[in-house]
Amino acid sequence: MIDAMTGARLGSFGPGSRLGILGGGQLGRMIALAAADYGIACHVFAPEEDSPAFDVCAARTIADYRDEAALAGFAAAVDVVTLEFENVPVESLVFLEAHVPVRPGAKALAVAQDRLSEKSLARSLGAMTAEFAAVNDRASLDTAIARIGLPAVLKTTRLGYDGKGQAKIMAQGDVARALAEMNGQPAILEAFVPFEREISVIAARGSDGHFAAFDVTENEHHDHILHRSVAPADLPEALVARAVDATRAIATALDYVGVLAVEFFVIDGDVLVNEIAPRVHNSGHWTSEGAETSQFHQHVRAVCGLTLGSAKARGQATMLNLVGDEANHWEKLLAEPGSHLHLYGKGTPRPGRKMGHITRITPRA
Amino acid sequence: MIDAMTGARLGSFGPGSRLGILGGGQLGRMIALAAADYGIACHVFAPEEDSPAFDVCAARTIADYRDEAALAGFAAAVDVVTLEFENVPVESLVFLEAHVPVRPGAKALAVAQDRLSEKSLARSLGAMTAEFAAVNDRASLDTAIARIGLPAVLKTTRLGYDGKGQAKIMAQGDVARALAEMNGQPAILEAFVPFEREISVIAARGSDGHFAAFDVTENEHHDHILHRSVAPADLPEALVARAVDATRAIATALDYVGVLAVEFFVIDGDVLVNEIAPRVHNSGHWTSEGAETSQFHQHVRAVCGLTLGSAKARGQATMLNLVGDEANHWEKLLAEPGSHLHLYGKGTPRPGRKMGHITRITPRA
């Protein structure tokens, strides 16, 4: 809210305030829909003209994330900025932070964009990760393999998602090809983790430091794309506590405000931090119908400086992604008792494109 | 959906289709939010520049409801038209119907806009209403009073809502003043009903004739404005059935497609039809968190020709309106465990202005 007399930004956010969202995908769309429940209008900044979030917001800026004139106009038009997409340049966030609160901020984004930083942070906080080493060239890759062993996975440190920028090294014969796939980018070698299960913790940290985690979610991927999430994960209490504690420690260390997701591998009775996503997360979509407060509402509350809502579950939840052609069955899914359909308003179902999802909530046994 | 080859409208609605909404208030806003869940973009037509629905839609037309050029452009831009406001001129709907499906249509609107027609329809279907008579002048008013008796209520037949255009006649001395308040408009005299309770049935009828009613809701008004709704109403089974049956008969008689609300008085062990609202309804707001499918989602399904969802309740529901200054307590309400806050993004809380509402859902005893 902007003080009409002085033009100064007031601490208290509320009806009439405007939330800026960097990124116009389905996550931004669902953040904007949640904000609307609280009377908050959204301004979406995205480079793509056909961004799904544009259909549900009060104002749009179509510009490159590095366009400083556009960023300055955006900053002037909103009361707080958040992001739905972790590959926004950190410099753009630094630029915005000079004009308007940005939550989460550049610091959290910088760590989450860099696999080396995120794993180093997790380790420094006492959480476990796969063995890893920085790789810049053939020499450092050989040294890393000598220490970590094979099989291992070589990944670019930045801009990786849904399995892109990754190469498995099963044996010495794969090394040259894997390095070539990095395309000269800084990389990280990670020990191959023959994990039993993959889980994620979706949690929010408020501007007052209050922390609230949703039930731990178990995730199943197809072709490196999330296929199904189930919450709560059927996991021993001790592991749930370890995963939630690691997430809380990471959020606190990053001075994080908003919803974040931490992905873990479950192996040998322990949990290993795999990735930090500084945003609402696909594996948290079950919260829309499955929790007292959805991850999107919770994120809006956190970044707008409002009290966090209850993260309590409403039952046993399953979320199923609709990828590519799977969305063509939407009419059947809409008619299915107990299924809640969410479509993102994207034009054409392309292979691998996330078109929507469904949730199913059943009473907990 | 428009066929790319022929330009013809296809029967099947779906992602990529566009829903036109006449009226830009909070009801249109909540319809647009529900449509977004199904990947459907909305185009809102409203005369007021600061319409709350404009903040959550893909396209806007700011024009008078009688502006035929604007209506033609609107019709060309959408696949189906619905309304959130029953005082749109019937002629505008007739005009639109020549270009695009309108649901509910002009016929339903014409009946709902006219207290004489709606009560006559209810009677013709075997439902009970208060005694009523048409009033055009002093002579017809005197005749009506002679038949119906006093106390009675004189109302304009058209454009009445929230207690506007109504005058109570307690005794002969009130007659002249009451008639003057009608301002020369056609009116209806209704027997004063010393009702015990007020209830409403919110229900949907699909384009296939399928009918689904939500739990009957009990309503409490303050200063003629809905204050609180509770569902399910604590009512004998037989009365619930009578109210739902009357609503189904009305919907069928009007060839209705969409969500409608019928308000009833409960008196002497019977239910009397009071009003038909051809739209989603304030007393159905509890369905957002309290039913498997909200009234807004159900309305979108119906008008878009999709399968109706389950109208099953998720528990015992209470909805509390935030009128005028009551909305200033939003931050406290947001922090209240179990309360779900909805604000409409309206600027200034004026006395009598509906600013938002909260719902509370508890397990059913």
Side-chain angles (χ1 to χ4, degrees), chain B residues 40-74:
Chain B
I40 295 166
C42 292
H43 185 140
V44 173
F45 187 119
E48 304 84 7
E49 269 186 50
D50 60 348
S51 295
F54 283 166
D55 282 353
V56 295
C57 65
R60 300 143 189 80
T61 299
I62 304 173
D64 189 273
Y65 292 121
R66 296 183 188 276
D67 179 336
E68 292 199 349
L71 288 170
F74 176 62

mmCIF file of all heavy atoms in Angstrom, chain B residues 40-74:
data_model
loop_
_atom_site.group_PDB
_atom_site.id
_atom_site.type_symbol
_atom_site.label_atom_id
_atom_site.label_comp_id
_atom_site.label_asym_id
_atom_site.label_seq_id
_atom_site.Cartn_x
_atom_site.Cartn_y
_atom_site.Cartn_z
ATOM 1 N N ILE B 40 -10.047 -21.826 -18.886
ATOM 2 C CA ILE B 40 -10.952 -21.001 -19.695
ATOM 3 C C ILE B 40 -10.703 -19.522 -19.391
ATOM 4 O O ILE B 40 -10.751 -19.106 -18.233
ATOM 5 C CB ILE B 40 -12.423 -21.370 -19.406
ATOM 6 C CG1 ILE B 40 -12.695 -22.813 -19.868
ATOM 7 C CG2 ILE B 40 -13.380 -20.377 -20.066
ATOM 8 C CD1 ILE B 40 -13.992 -23.401 -19.349
ATOM 9 N N ALA B 41 -10.436 -18.745 -20.409
ATOM 10 C CA ALA B 41 -10.202 -17.311 -20.238
ATOM 11 C C ALA B 41 -11.527 -16.573 -20.323
ATOM 12 O O ALA B 41 -12.422 -16.971 -21.066
ATOM 13 C CB ALA B 41 -9.248 -16.812 -21.311
ATOM 14 N N CYS B 42 -11.646 -15.508 -19.563
ATOM 15 C CA CYS B 42 -12.902 -14.756 -19.525
ATOM 16 C C CYS B 42 -12.771 -13.367 -20.116
ATOM 17 O O CYS B 42 -11.717 -12.729 -20.034
ATOM 18 C CB CYS B 42 -13.409 -14.646 -18.085
ATOM 19 S SG CYS B 42 -13.940 -16.230 -17.434
ATOM 20 N N HIS B 43 -13.861 -12.929 -20.700
ATOM 21 C CA HIS B 43 -13.989 -11.573 -21.231
ATOM 22 C C HIS B 43 -15.159 -10.935 -20.474
ATOM 23 O O HIS B 43 -16.285 -11.421 -20.561
ATOM 24 C CB HIS B 43 -14.283 -11.665 -22.729
ATOM 25 C CG HIS B 43 -14.326 -10.342 -23.431
ATOM 26 N ND1 HIS B 43 -13.796 -10.148 -24.682
ATOM 27 C CD2 HIS B 43 -14.837 -9.136 -23.061
ATOM 28 C CE1 HIS B 43 -13.993 -8.888 -25.058
ATOM 29 N NE2 HIS B 43 -14.617 -8.255 -24.096
ATOM 30 N N VAL B 44 -14.860 -9.879 -19.730
ATOM 31 C CA VAL B 44 -15.884 -9.267 -18.875
ATOM 32 C C VAL B 44 -16.416 -7.990 -19.530
ATOM 33 O O VAL B 44 -15.643 -7.147 -19.982
ATOM 34 C CB VAL B 44 -15.320 -8.959 -17.469
ATOM 35 C CG1 VAL B 44 -16.332 -8.177 -16.639
ATOM 36 C CG2 VAL B 44 -14.935 -10.261 -16.758
ATOM 37 N N PHE B 45 -17.735 -7.875 -19.590
ATOM 38 C CA PHE B 45 -18.419 -6.702 -20.153
ATOM 39 C C PHE B 45 -19.106 -5.988 -19.000
ATOM 40 O O PHE B 45 -19.997 -6.559 -18.350
ATOM 41 C CB PHE B 45 -19.447 -7.183 -21.179
ATOM 42 C CG PHE B 45 -20.124 -6.094 -21.976
ATOM 43 C CD1 PHE B 45 -19.992 -6.051 -23.354
ATOM 44 C CD2 PHE B 45 -20.908 -5.120 -21.365
ATOM 45 C CE1 PHE B 45 -20.631 -5.068 -24.119
ATOM 46 C CE2 PHE B 45 -21.539 -4.133 -22.103
ATOM 47 C CZ PHE B 45 -21.401 -4.110 -23.488
ATOM 48 N N ALA B 46 -18.690 -4.776 -18.709
ATOM 49 C CA ALA B 46 -19.308 -4.028 -17.610
ATOM 50 C C ALA B 46 -19.153 -2.539 -17.872
ATOM 51 O O ALA B 46 -18.202 -2.108 -18.518
ATOM 52 C CB ALA B 46 -18.657 -4.403 -16.283
ATOM 53 N N PRO B 47 -20.083 -1.733 -17.377
ATOM 54 C CA PRO B 47 -19.997 -0.291 -17.631
ATOM 55 C C PRO B 47 -18.994 0.426 -16.729
ATOM 56 O O PRO B 47 -18.495 1.490 -17.094
ATOM 57 C CB PRO B 47 -21.417 0.219 -17.325
ATOM 58 C CG PRO B 47 -22.244 -0.979 -17.003
ATOM 59 C CD PRO B 47 -21.333 -2.108 -16.700
ATOM 60 N N GLU B 48 -18.703 -0.125 -15.558
ATOM 61 C CA GLU B 48 -17.868 0.587 -14.584
ATOM 62 C C GLU B 48 -16.389 0.266 -14.792
ATOM 63 O O GLU B 48 -15.989 -0.894 -14.799
ATOM 64 C CB GLU B 48 -18.262 0.214 -13.158
ATOM 65 C CG GLU B 48 -19.727 0.438 -12.823
ATOM 66 C CD GLU B 48 -20.625 -0.718 -13.243
ATOM 67 O OE1 GLU B 48 -20.090 -1.763 -13.691
ATOM 68 O OE2 GLU B 48 -21.860 -0.566 -13.150
ATOM 69 N N GLU B 49 -15.580 1.321 -14.888
ATOM 70 C CA GLU B 49 -14.150 1.149 -15.147
ATOM 71 C C GLU B 49 -13.419 0.389 -14.057
ATOM 72 O O GLU B 49 -12.414 -0.269 -14.310
ATOM 73 C CB GLU B 49 -13.479 2.523 -15.322
ATOM 74 C CG GLU B 49 -13.465 2.973 -16.757
ATOM 75 C CD GLU B 49 -12.675 4.259 -16.932
ATOM 76 O OE1 GLU B 49 -11.533 4.327 -16.456
ATOM 77 O OE2 GLU B 49 -13.228 5.191 -17.543
ATOM 78 N N ASP B 50 -13.907 0.535 -12.822
ATOM 79 C CA ASP B 50 -13.197 -0.108 -11.707
ATOM 80 C C ASP B 50 -13.890 -1.414 -11.280
ATOM 81 O O ASP B 50 -13.887 -1.766 -10.113
ATOM 82 C CB ASP B 50 -13.086 0.858 -10.525
ATOM 83 C CG ASP B 50 -14.461 1.299 -10.025
ATOM 84 O OD1 ASP B 50 -15.459 1.046 -10.730
ATOM 85 O OD2 ASP B 50 -14.530 1.884 -8.929
ATOM 86 N N SER B 51 -14.445 -2.121 -12.227
ATOM 87 C CA SER B 51 -15.143 -3.379 -11.924
ATOM 88 C C SER B 51 -14.178 -4.412 -11.330
ATOM 89 O O SER B 51 -13.120 -4.676 -11.901
ATOM 90 C CB SER B 51 -15.756 -3.945 -13.205
ATOM 91 O OG SER B 51 -16.749 -3.076 -13.692
ATOM 92 N N PRO B 52 -14.548 -4.999 -10.178
ATOM 93 C CA PRO B 52 -13.661 -5.978 -9.532
ATOM 94 C C PRO B 52 -13.265 -7.151 -10.434
ATOM 95 O O PRO B 52 -12.175 -7.689 -10.305
ATOM 96 C CB PRO B 52 -14.496 -6.475 -8.347
ATOM 97 C CG PRO B 52 -15.434 -5.358 -8.035
ATOM 98 C CD PRO B 52 -15.735 -4.705 -9.353
ATOM 99 N N ALA B 53 -14.136 -7.540 -11.356
ATOM 100 C CA ALA B 53 -13.822 -8.692 -12.213
ATOM 101 C C ALA B 53 -12.737 -8.373 -13.239
ATOM 102 O O ALA B 53 -12.091 -9.278 -13.763
ATOM 103 C CB ALA B 53 -15.078 -9.191 -12.915
ATOM 104 N N PHE B 54 -12.535 -7.089 -13.531
ATOM 105 C CA PHE B 54 -11.532 -6.724 -14.535
ATOM 106 C C PHE B 54 -10.123 -7.161 -14.120
ATOM 107 O O PHE B 54 -9.265 -7.364 -14.966
ATOM 108 C CB PHE B 54 -11.540 -5.206 -14.780
ATOM 109 C CG PHE B 54 -12.685 -4.718 -15.630
ATOM 110 C CD1 PHE B 54 -12.989 -3.363 -15.685
ATOM 111 C CD2 PHE B 54 -13.447 -5.594 -16.384
ATOM 112 C CE1 PHE B 54 -14.034 -2.888 -16.477
ATOM 113 C CE2 PHE B 54 -14.499 -5.134 -17.177
ATOM 114 C CZ PHE B 54 -14.787 -3.787 -17.226
ATOM 115 N N ASP B 55 -9.879 -7.292 -12.818
ATOM 116 C CA ASP B 55 -8.532 -7.639 -12.344
ATOM 117 C C ASP B 55 -8.148 -9.091 -12.598
ATOM 118 O O ASP B 55 -7.002 -9.472 -12.394
ATOM 119 C CB ASP B 55 -8.407 -7.362 -10.835
ATOM 120 C CG ASP B 55 -8.202 -5.888 -10.547
ATOM 121 O OD1 ASP B 55 -8.016 -5.113 -11.501
ATOM 122 O OD2 ASP B 55 -8.225 -5.512 -9.360
ATOM 123 N N VAL B 56 -9.114 -9.932 -12.976
ATOM 124 C CA VAL B 56 -8.813 -11.363 -13.094
ATOM 125 C C VAL B 56 -9.283 -11.959 -14.424
ATOM 126 O O VAL B 56 -9.530 -13.158 -14.524
ATOM 127 C CB VAL B 56 -9.434 -12.158 -11.918
ATOM 128 C CG1 VAL B 56 -8.792 -11.748 -10.607
ATOM 129 C CG2 VAL B 56 -10.942 -11.968 -11.852
ATOM 130 N N CYS B 57 -9.408 -11.097 -15.445
ATOM 131 C CA CYS B 57 -9.885 -11.626 -16.732
ATOM 132 C C CYS B 57 -8.904 -11.290 -17.846
ATOM 133 O O CYS B 57 -8.047 -10.433 -17.697
ATOM 134 C CB CYS B 57 -11.276 -11.076 -17.044
ATOM 135 S SG CYS B 57 -11.288 -9.311 -17.286
ATOM 136 N N ALA B 58 -9.078 -12.002 -18.945
ATOM 137 C CA ALA B 58 -8.153 -11.854 -20.069
ATOM 138 C C ALA B 58 -8.502 -10.654 -20.939
ATOM 139 O O ALA B 58 -7.638 -10.066 -21.571
ATOM 140 C CB ALA B 58 -8.159 -13.129 -20.911
ATOM 141 N N ALA B 59 -9.790 -10.290 -20.982
ATOM 142 C CA ALA B 59 -10.213 -9.165 -21.824
ATOM 143 C C ALA B 59 -11.390 -8.445 -21.182
ATOM 144 O O ALA B 59 -12.140 -9.036 -20.411
ATOM 145 C CB ALA B 59 -10.595 -9.671 -23.215
ATOM 146 N N ARG B 60 -11.525 -7.178 -21.480
ATOM 147 C CA ARG B 60 -12.541 -6.319 -20.877
ATOM 148 C C ARG B 60 -13.246 -5.507 -21.955
ATOM 149 O O ARG B 60 -12.601 -5.062 -22.899
ATOM 150 C CB ARG B 60 -11.871 -5.299 -19.942
ATOM 151 C CG ARG B 60 -11.090 -5.862 -18.804
ATOM 152 C CD ARG B 60 -9.818 -5.050 -18.490
ATOM 153 N NE ARG B 60 -8.992 -5.755 -17.510
ATOM 154 C CZ ARG B 60 -8.174 -6.757 -17.808
ATOM 155 N NH1 ARG B 60 -8.015 -7.149 -19.059
ATOM 156 N NH2 ARG B 60 -7.480 -7.360 -16.859
ATOM 157 N N THR B 61 -14.521 -5.287 -21.775
ATOM 158 C CA THR B 61 -15.225 -4.274 -22.554
ATOM 159 C C THR B 61 -15.893 -3.338 -21.553
ATOM 160 O O THR B 61 -16.672 -3.784 -20.709
ATOM 161 C CB THR B 61 -16.299 -4.890 -23.474
ATOM 162 O OG1 THR B 61 -15.661 -5.780 -24.395
ATOM 163 C CG2 THR B 61 -17.045 -3.809 -24.245
ATOM 164 N N ILE B 62 -15.560 -2.069 -21.614
ATOM 165 C CA ILE B 62 -16.198 -1.079 -20.745
ATOM 166 C C ILE B 62 -17.222 -0.343 -21.587
ATOM 167 O O ILE B 62 -16.868 0.458 -22.450
ATOM 168 C CB ILE B 62 -15.163 -0.092 -20.165
ATOM 169 C CG1 ILE B 62 -14.057 -0.858 -19.428
ATOM 170 C CG2 ILE B 62 -15.838 0.917 -19.228
ATOM 171 C CD1 ILE B 62 -12.896 0.014 -18.970
ATOM 172 N N ALA B 63 -18.490 -0.674 -21.390
ATOM 173 C CA ALA B 63 -19.536 -0.051 -22.199
ATOM 174 C C ALA B 63 -20.881 -0.227 -21.514
ATOM 175 O O ALA B 63 -21.041 -1.071 -20.635
ATOM 176 C CB ALA B 63 -19.571 -0.687 -23.595
ATOM 177 N N ASP B 64 -21.818 0.573 -21.939
ATOM 178 C CA ASP B 64 -23.179 0.440 -21.456
ATOM 179 C C ASP B 64 -23.776 -0.868 -21.977
ATOM 180 O O ASP B 64 -23.483 -1.293 -23.094
ATOM 181 C CB ASP B 64 -24.005 1.631 -21.964
ATOM 182 C CG ASP B 64 -25.370 1.672 -21.315
ATOM 183 O OD1 ASP B 64 -26.300 1.010 -21.830
ATOM 184 O OD2 ASP B 64 -25.492 2.347 -20.278
ATOM 185 N N TYR B 65 -24.649 -1.481 -21.156
ATOM 186 C CA TYR B 65 -25.257 -2.747 -21.569
ATOM 187 C C TYR B 65 -26.116 -2.604 -22.821
ATOM 188 O O TYR B 65 -26.481 -3.590 -23.440
ATOM 189 C CB TYR B 65 -26.097 -3.326 -20.427
ATOM 190 C CG TYR B 65 -25.278 -3.784 -19.235
ATOM 191 C CD1 TYR B 65 -25.476 -3.239 -17.972
ATOM 192 C CD2 TYR B 65 -24.298 -4.759 -19.386
ATOM 193 C CE1 TYR B 65 -24.722 -3.656 -16.886
ATOM 194 C CE2 TYR B 65 -23.535 -5.186 -18.303
ATOM 195 C CZ TYR B 65 -23.755 -4.631 -17.055
ATOM 196 O OH TYR B 65 -23.009 -5.045 -15.989
ATOM 197 N N ARG B 66 -26.476 -1.379 -23.169
ATOM 198 C CA ARG B 66 -27.312 -1.170 -24.357
ATOM 199 C C ARG B 66 -26.507 -0.778 -25.592
ATOM 200 O O ARG B 66 -27.084 -0.525 -26.654
ATOM 201 C CB ARG B 66 -28.360 -0.085 -24.070
ATOM 202 C CG ARG B 66 -29.338 -0.482 -22.983
ATOM 203 C CD ARG B 66 -30.402 0.598 -22.771
ATOM 204 N NE ARG B 66 -31.211 0.299 -21.606
ATOM 205 C CZ ARG B 66 -32.262 -0.524 -21.614
ATOM 206 N NH1 ARG B 66 -32.618 -1.116 -22.726
ATOM 207 N NH2 ARG B 66 -32.937 -0.760 -20.508
ATOM 208 N N ASP B 67 -25.212 -0.732 -25.468
ATOM 209 C CA ASP B 67 -24.352 -0.316 -26.584
ATOM 210 C C ASP B 67 -24.206 -1.494 -27.561
ATOM 211 O O ASP B 67 -23.415 -2.412 -27.349
ATOM 212 C CB ASP B 67 -22.995 0.104 -26.009
ATOM 213 C CG ASP B 67 -21.999 0.546 -27.069
ATOM 214 O OD1 ASP B 67 -22.133 0.137 -28.245
ATOM 215 O OD2 ASP B 67 -21.065 1.284 -26.715
ATOM 216 N N GLU B 68 -24.969 -1.447 -28.667
ATOM 217 C CA GLU B 68 -25.019 -2.612 -29.555
ATOM 218 C C GLU B 68 -23.709 -2.891 -30.279
ATOM 219 O O GLU B 68 -23.381 -4.043 -30.555
ATOM 220 C CB GLU B 68 -26.181 -2.473 -30.555
ATOM 221 C CG GLU B 68 -27.524 -2.566 -29.844
ATOM 222 C CD GLU B 68 -28.685 -2.902 -30.771
ATOM 223 O OE1 GLU B 68 -28.501 -2.860 -32.004
ATOM 224 O OE2 GLU B 68 -29.776 -3.220 -30.255
ATOM 225 N N ALA B 69 -22.970 -1.832 -30.589
ATOM 226 C CA ALA B 69 -21.678 -2.060 -31.246
ATOM 227 C C ALA B 69 -20.754 -2.808 -30.285
ATOM 228 O O ALA B 69 -20.069 -3.768 -30.667
ATOM 229 C CB ALA B 69 -21.047 -0.727 -31.651
ATOM 230 N N ALA B 70 -20.767 -2.388 -29.028
ATOM 231 C CA ALA B 70 -19.924 -3.052 -28.029
ATOM 232 C C ALA B 70 -20.397 -4.486 -27.803
ATOM 233 O O ALA B 70 -19.580 -5.409 -27.686
ATOM 234 C CB ALA B 70 -19.945 -2.268 -26.720
ATOM 235 N N LEU B 71 -21.713 -4.677 -27.783
ATOM 236 C CA LEU B 71 -22.252 -6.030 -27.596
ATOM 237 C C LEU B 71 -21.865 -6.940 -28.760
ATOM 238 O O LEU B 71 -21.511 -8.109 -28.560
ATOM 239 C CB LEU B 71 -23.783 -5.987 -27.467
ATOM 240 C CG LEU B 71 -24.352 -5.407 -26.163
ATOM 241 C CD1 LEU B 71 -25.867 -5.216 -26.300
ATOM 242 C CD2 LEU B 71 -24.032 -6.291 -24.960
ATOM 243 N N ALA B 72 -21.902 -6.406 -29.974
ATOM 244 C CA ALA B 72 -21.550 -7.210 -31.148
ATOM 245 C C ALA B 72 -20.078 -7.628 -31.089
ATOM 246 O O ALA B 72 -19.730 -8.778 -31.381
ATOM 247 C CB ALA B 72 -21.838 -6.430 -32.426
ATOM 248 N N GLY B 73 -19.219 -6.702 -30.706
ATOM 249 C CA GLY B 73 -17.792 -7.016 -30.574
ATOM 250 C C GLY B 73 -17.549 -8.067 -29.510
ATOM 251 O O GLY B 73 -16.748 -8.993 -29.685
ATOM 252 N N PHE B 74 -18.274 -7.930 -28.425
ATOM 253 C CA PHE B 74 -18.179 -8.881 -27.311
ATOM 254 C C PHE B 74 -18.621 -10.272 -27.780
ATOM 255 O O PHE B 74 -17.928 -11.278 -27.560
ATOM 256 C CB PHE B 74 -19.076 -8.356 -26.191
ATOM 257 C CG PHE B 74 -19.220 -9.210 -24.968
ATOM 258 C CD1 PHE B 74 -18.119 -9.516 -24.164
ATOM 259 C CD2 PHE B 74 -20.471 -9.689 -24.594
ATOM 260 C CE1 PHE B 74 -18.275 -10.285 -23.009
ATOM 261 C CE2 PHE B 74 -20.640 -10.447 -23.443
ATOM 262 C CZ PHE B 74 -19.527 -10.750 -22.649
#
